[in-house]
Amino acid sequence: MSGTTTVTQEQEPQGPSLARASGSMAIATIVSRASGLLSKLLLITIVGVDALNDSYQVATTLPTMINELLLGGVLTSVAIPLLVRAEKEDGDRGESYAQWMITMSAVVLGVGTIIAVACAPLLTELFIDSPDAKPELVTAFAYLVLPGIVFYGLSALIGAILNTRHVFGLPTWAPVLNNVVVIITLVVYWLMPGEISLDPVRMGEPKLLVLGLGTMLGVAVQASVLVPALRRTGFRFRWRWGWDRRLSEFGGLAFWVLLYVALGFASMVVLTKVATHDDGAITVYNMQWLIAQVPYGVLGVSLLTALMPKMSRAAAAHDTDGLVGDLAFGNRMSSILLMPFSALLTVAGVSIGLALFSHGRSGLGGGEEIGTALALSAFGLVPYAITLLQLRVFYALKDARTPTIIQGIIVVVRIGLLYGFLAISPPDKLAVGVSIAMSLSFVVGALVGQVWLRLRLGRLRTGYTAWTICLTVVASAIAFGAATGLAWLAVRVLGIESRVAGAWVEVVVQTIVGLPLSFLLLALFRVPEVRPAVAKISRLVGRR
């Protein structure tokens, strides 16, 4: 819920193809996140944390947000279920419907892209109102990256069609190619002589063109590599026009999903307008958010993926006890899996920022600013995961209205906090305020969602869940207190004077000591959810 969040619908098991592809998908997800992180590290190193990077960050978020408004939310909530239904019901196994979907999407995305490019200065004005920002540079980048709207949308749609045809690996690997193209683009940008001028901004500057067009090319590659895979499934494209009657059945759901996405869009508009009052703030926010999302992307998403079918089946069978049990289990597991990482990001946030982001043009100041924002906002990781899990419960109940209302509450609170921090934060600390505002809004979302589900489903075993969360907090605090002490001692014993080298030592020690110790303490505290892992480790040790 950093900006826009799409809706996951129940999907039936896809048979052996999904099982065979699961390993490749897991590896691809890790490689994609690693390569994405590498591209961001290069960006910070080469470009720095300043108005130039801020302008690039603002412009490159526009295609993704506009794609969500045009297609993203409806694709996930409406198009994908209908693709599966068409495959089962239609004589051609859904091929004509898929052709129609590509035709309609290409038209909508194409028209939307033309309008967006034509309105690039207006979009810049919408997102930026600070006199210290660089609207001309944002607009220049926007002209170059906004054509990526078409490729973002078609990449998601073709990937969905491939999934319905039991092809899972390549759609998961395609973003890696995007990251590789961006990395190559950054290297070329770095090797080129000259600088991008800020006053005045000249659209034809080679470095500006390389950075903007290279970014858009990465998305184009991500979409284009899927086309041969689609053809190998036997799919042949032809233009199809008209209206599919099945869409009418999903009109109400699509309305609430679009409103949900629009609220997220409004939230990101306000966040960007606030953050651009300080040079580098939007870059700092984006980088700390990228790091904070790594543990959730690896652990939280896996948990949601595993629980969603169970919750959907329980809801379909009107098994309220089963649904509540799955929700309570998910809340507890989110805490157990993510609280130690939240503690790590809190105590080692500044060190992580210095270790990863203090190189090149960013310098120690940029790395420290990113690390500070990360450390002070990491408390939002667990509430973020719990909020998304709660929303999935409503979707399992086929209720798209309530998540949108909760999203509205979160956005209202977030906007109030953003403007509050803008009013009270020192200019050079605005990035920290923006990051804290986001995390606090997730706390509110988790509380509102819990109360709403309590009214909807009855008792939610909240006391048991709260006790588990308390145990994870205590275990994480003890573990990382000890790890931080050992890290401090290691730096002193080794006599390290370099801040970056010392930061690396601190991160390594706090990670290899704090995380295992946290889970060990949870086992000693006899937290039930940890028992299967403890039993498996005991069996492995016993075999030796």
Side-chain angles (χ1 to χ4, degrees), residues 171-293:
T172 314
W173 280 99
V176 177
L177 297 177
N178 183 354
N179 293 331
V180 170
V181 173
V182 172
I183 289 170
I184 294 172
T185 297
L186 290 169
V187 172
V188 172
Y189 172 90
W190 176 57
L191 294 175
M192 292 180 67
E195 297 290 339
I196 294 179
S197 65
L198 300 182
D199 189 16
V201 174
R202 290 185 285 269
M203 190 68 201
E205 281 189 336
K207 297 195 80 165
L208 175 64
L209 294 175
V210 164
L211 191 54
L213 292 177
T215 301
M216 193 271 291
L217 178 63
V219 188
V221 170
Q222 176 179 329
S224 61
V225 297
L226 299 178
V227 175
L230 188 59
R231 290 182 62 86
R232 284 196 296 270
T233 66
F235 180 86
R236 294 295 179 266
F237 175 71
R238 55 169 292 194
W239 296 98
R240 287 190 179 271
W241 309 97
W243 178 258
D244 189 279
R245 57 178 175 76
R246 286 168 291 208
L247 282 177
S248 303
E249 303 173 21
F250 287 78
L253 176 62
F255 167 78
W256 288 108
V257 171
L258 281 174
L259 182 56
Y260 184 103
V261 173
L263 287 168
F265 182 87
S267 168
M268 288 306 299
V269 168
V270 173
L271 185 148
T272 305
K273 291 171 80 75
V274 169
T276 50
H277 279 76
D278 175 27
D279 282 353
I282 191 66
T283 299
V284 169
Y285 167 76
N286 284 341
M287 294 304 108
Q288 71 82 21
W289 177 256
L290 174 72
I291 297 297
Q293 283 295 287

Side-chain angles (χ1 to χ4, degrees), residues 40-392:
K40 299 302 183 184
L41 292 177
L42 280 175
L43 179 66
I44 290 290
T45 301
I46 295 170
V47 179
V49 182
D50 54 19
L52 173 57
N53 204 339
D54 274 1
S55 300
Y56 175 79
Q57 296 282 340
V58 173
T60 52
T61 59
L62 293 176
T64 57
M65 286 190 285
I66 294 173
N67 171 60
E68 282 293 310
L69 284 173
L70 292 174
L71 183 65
V74 175
L75 174 66
T76 307
S77 63
V78 176
I80 292 177
L82 285 180
L83 282 168
V84 175
R85 177 172 165 181
E87 184 186 29
K88 292 181 177 180
E89 295 179 351
D90 296 355
D92 61 356
R93 299 186 66 241
E95 179 161 315
S96 60
Y97 177 76
Q99 292 169 342
W100 177 85
M101 181 61 68
I102 293 176
T103 301
M104 293 297 104
S105 298
V107 171
V108 171
L109 291 168
V111 172
T113 299
I114 293 171
I115 294 173
V117 172
C119 297
L122 297 178
L123 289 172
T124 297
E125 187 176 346
L126 176 66
F127 278 82
I128 295 177
D129 65 358
S130 169
D132 299 325
K134 305 294 181 185
E136 297 85 1
L137 186 57
V138 175
T139 301
F141 275 126
Y143 281 130
L144 300 174
V145 301
L146 280 171
I149 294 170
V150 173
F151 300 113
Y152 276 116
L154 291 180
S155 174
L157 178 58
I158 295 173
I161 296 172
L162 286 171
N163 286 347
T164 64
R165 292 169 175 256
H166 315 311
V167 178
F168 303 97
L170 186 58
T172 314
W173 280 99
V176 177
L177 297 177
N178 183 354
N179 293 331
V180 170
V181 173
V182 172
I183 289 170
I184 294 172
T185 297
L186 290 169
V187 172
V188 172
Y189 172 90
W190 176 57
L191 294 175
M192 292 180 67
E195 297 290 339
I196 294 179
S197 65
L198 300 182
D199 189 16
V201 174
R202 290 185 285 269
M203 190 68 201
E205 281 189 336
K207 297 195 80 165
L208 175 64
L209 294 175
V210 164
L211 191 54
L213 292 177
T215 301
M216 193 271 291
L217 178 63
V219 188
V221 170
Q222 176 179 329
S224 61
V225 297
L226 299 178
V227 175
L230 188 59
R231 290 182 62 86
R232 284 196 296 270
T233 66
F235 180 86
R236 294 295 179 266
F237 175 71
R238 55 169 292 194
W239 296 98
R240 287 190 179 271
W241 309 97
W243 178 258
D244 189 279
R245 57 178 175 76
R246 286 168 291 208
L247 282 177
S248 303
E249 303 173 21
F250 287 78
L253 176 62
F255 167 78
W256 288 108
V257 171
L258 281 174
L259 182 56
Y260 184 103
V261 173
L263 287 168
F265 182 87
S267 168
M268 288 306 299
V269 168
V270 173
L271 185 148
T272 305
K273 291 171 80 75
V274 169
T276 50
H277 279 76
D278 175 27
D279 282 353
I282 191 66
T283 299
V284 169
Y285 167 76
N286 284 341
M287 294 304 108
Q288 71 82 21
W289 177 256
L290 174 72
I291 297 297
Q293 283 295 287
V294 170
Y296 176 76
V298 175
L299 300 174
V301 171
S302 300
L303 180 63
L304 273 181
T305 302
L307 281 178
M308 189 61 195
K310 290 187 63 179
M311 292 191 300
S312 297
R313 285 192 292 269
H318 304 289
D319 180 7
T320 302
D321 288 340
L323 182 60
V324 168
D326 291 335
L327 171 63
F329 175 77
N331 285 339
R332 294 195 302 273
M333 287 303 298
S334 295
S335 176
I336 291 168
L337 292 174
L338 297 176
M339 188 67 75
F341 286 94
S342 178
L344 172 63
L345 297 178
T346 299
V347 301
V350 175
S351 297
I352 292 171
L354 289 171
L356 296 180
F357 297 105
S358 61
H359 308 286
R361 298 190 62 171
S362 173
L364 292 175
E368 186 169 22
E369 192 172 359
I370 294 170
T372 302
L374 176 63
L376 295 180
S377 62
F379 67 87
L381 179 60
V382 173
Y384 173 75
I386 289 176
T387 299
L388 291 186
L389 178 63
Q390 292 167 341
L391 297 183
R392 279 2 181 237

Side-chain angles (χ1 to χ4, degrees), residues 12-27 163 166-169:
E12 295 181 5
Q14 300 290 351
S17 296
L18 180 57
R20 287 194 299 267
S22 59
S24 174
M25 293 169 65
I27 295 172
N163 286 347
H166 315 311
V167 178
F168 303 97

